[in-house]
Amino acid sequence: MNNVTEFILLGLSKNKKVQILCFLFFLLCYLAIWLGNLIIMASITYSQLINQPMYFFLNYLALSDLLYTSTVTPKLMTDLLTGKKVISYHNRMTQLFTTHFFGGVEVCIITGMAYDRYVAICKPLHYAILMSRQRCNSILGASCAGGFLHSIGLFLLAIFLPFCGPNEIDHYFCDVYPLLKLACTDTHKIGFLVIANSGLMGLGIFVVLMASYFMILCNVRAYSAENRRKALSTCSSHITVVILFFAPVIFVYIRPATTLPEDKVFTLFYTIIVPMLNPLIYTLRNTEMKNAVRKVWYFHLLSKFKFKIILK
């Protein structure tokens, strides 16, 4: 039985000046997320990089970044400008499902990218076979399936929770732990299921990723100085993304079902900050990506300029 039809999000702050500053900051972040990830997607799609597995995954990582952050950021910015931050029960469940679905897809794609780097560096002679386009499509499909299983598990845990009041969520979006705090039933066992679904899964994937990069570092010692530099440059970008994404996730979900004031700050990292930094991390530290951006956008601007001259 639910007596609650809507929830009130307390947000990041009650101070009006802080809310306005936060709105301007997140507006700039959201614009940067869209601009940066669209540039990456266009540059990969309209260049030869789309045929390489690493950039095939990077293209879909950029797309998942856009979809993932769009489940949270627009609502957050709207609430910063409104007096009462309300979300209906059905919208709450929709946000819970979509946020964890696209977040799960992103985690799986990052794992696929790490596997690609492992095969490229540790098994270069078998790379063409192990990372064929069919295998890449299979990994992408498995990423979507993994994201769905992750989100549907949390969705089913949350949809059967009874809410009798109060209805104030001390967060800026509808996550699992704040909802468990409001449920008028014993959520002790459900909390352990959430830890298994999100916390242990995130910790396990993080350990696997770090182990794969450790094996890569061991293998590149036998490379020449130039090849070692290229391999380390590529892997350092991946390691940066992995740490920035997984460290806050593990902090939030690995502990028992409790909410801390720091959760809001850590959640901002993997919902907004990392999707904004991904384009910078993967372009500024990647020569092939920088060259593709220059060629695609230079050709686009040059074609547009020539078309205007012909019209005149």
Side-chain angles (χ1 to χ4, degrees):
M1 295 294 294
N2 283 327
N3 297 329
V4 177
T5 58
E6 64 181 22
F7 294 88
I8 298 174
L9 299 170
L10 298 183
L12 297 173
S13 174
K14 294 182 180 180
N15 188 301
K16 288 292 183 182
K17 292 183 179 178
V18 174
Q19 289 182 2
I20 293 174
L21 290 175
C22 287
F23 171 79
L24 294 175
F25 173 72
F26 292 128
L27 177 61
L28 292 175
C29 289
Y30 196 50
L31 292 175
I33 289 169
W34 273 91
L35 180 62
N37 284 292
L38 285 177
I39 288 176
I40 281 184
M41 292 168 63
S43 300
I44 292 175
T45 303
Y46 295 106
S47 70
Q48 296 298 320
L49 293 182
I50 192 63
N51 297 319
Q52 299 183 34
M54 184 179 77
Y55 298 103
F56 172 84
F57 290 125
L58 179 57
N59 187 41
Y60 284 100
L61 179 66
L63 177 60
S64 67
D65 274 337
L66 288 179
L67 298 174
Y68 179 46
T69 194
S70 294
T71 63
V72 175
T73 312
K75 173 63 177 171
L76 170 61
M77 292 192 299
T78 303
D79 288 344
L80 288 170
L81 297 180
T82 57
K84 194 176 181 181
K85 306 168 181 64
V86 177
I87 185 169
S88 68
Y89 178 85
H90 297 291
N91 287 340
R92 180 212 68 164
M93 297 306 298
T94 301
Q95 187 183 62
L96 176 69
F97 177 83
T98 54
T99 300
H100 283 276
F101 171 70
F102 292 119
V105 171
E106 181 158 345
V107 167
C108 294
I109 290 177
I110 291 173
T111 306
M113 294 175 72
Y115 175 72
D116 169 74
R117 290 300 84 202
Y118 168 78
V119 174
I121 295 173
C122 299
K123 298 183 178 181
L125 298 179
H126 301 89
Y127 182 75
I129 298 174
L130 293 176
M131 296 305 299
S132 63
R133 180 47 58 94
Q134 184 179 0
R135 176 67 62 85
C136 292
N137 289 330
S138 299
I139 293 175
L140 183 63
S143 299
C144 295
F148 177 79
L149 291 175
H150 165 67
S151 60
I152 197 66
L154 295 178
F155 179 81
L156 293 175
L157 290 176
I159 200 171
F160 293 111
L161 292 175
F163 298 98
C164 312
N167 64 338
E168 290 185 344
I169 298 176
D170 189 16
H171 216 300
Y172 62 88
F173 79 104
C174 292
D175 206 0
V176 183
Y177 280 165
L179 291 176
L180 293 180
K181 190 176 180 180
L182 297 181
C184 50
T185 186
D186 183 15
T187 60
H188 186 70
K189 294 180 180 179
I190 297 177
F192 282 109
L193 293 176
V194 175
I195 293 174
N197 183 290
S198 299
L200 293 180
M201 182 190 74
L203 180 61
I205 293 176
F206 178 75
V207 171
V208 170
L209 292 176
M210 289 296 101
S212 69
Y213 289 123
F214 177 77
M215 295 175 66
I216 288 173
L217 292 175
C218 291
N219 276 270
V220 297
R221 290 184 301 177
Y223 283 26
S224 64
E226 180 64 20
N227 290 334
R228 191 187 308 126
R229 186 190 63 80
K230 290 181 180 179
L232 292 177
S233 176
T234 302
C235 290
S236 63
S237 302
H238 291 246
I239 293 173
T240 303
V241 171
V242 167
I243 293 175
L244 288 176
F245 188 90
F246 280 93
V249 168
I250 293 171
F251 174 83
V252 171
Y253 291 107
I254 200 63
R255 63 176 191 267
T258 57
T259 56
L260 300 175
E262 295 83 3
D263 287 352
K264 298 178 186 179
V265 178
F266 280 97
T267 306
L268 287 173
F269 269 91
Y270 58 82
T271 56
I272 298 176
I273 303 300
V274 171
M276 180 184 68
L277 294 178
N278 274 350
L280 296 176
I281 292 172
Y282 282 110
T283 53
L284 294 180
R285 299 183 62 86
N286 191 312
T287 304
E288 286 185 323
M289 194 66 226
K290 286 189 288 187
N291 291 335
V293 171
R294 290 194 194 100
K295 289 179 181 179
V296 169
W297 293 97
Y298 175 77
F299 178 78
H300 174 73
L301 293 174
L302 186 64
S303 300
K304 200 171 183 180
F305 179 72
K306 288 181 178 179
F307 181 71
K308 286 182 178 179
I309 293 177
I310 293 173
L311 289 178
K312 288 180 181 180

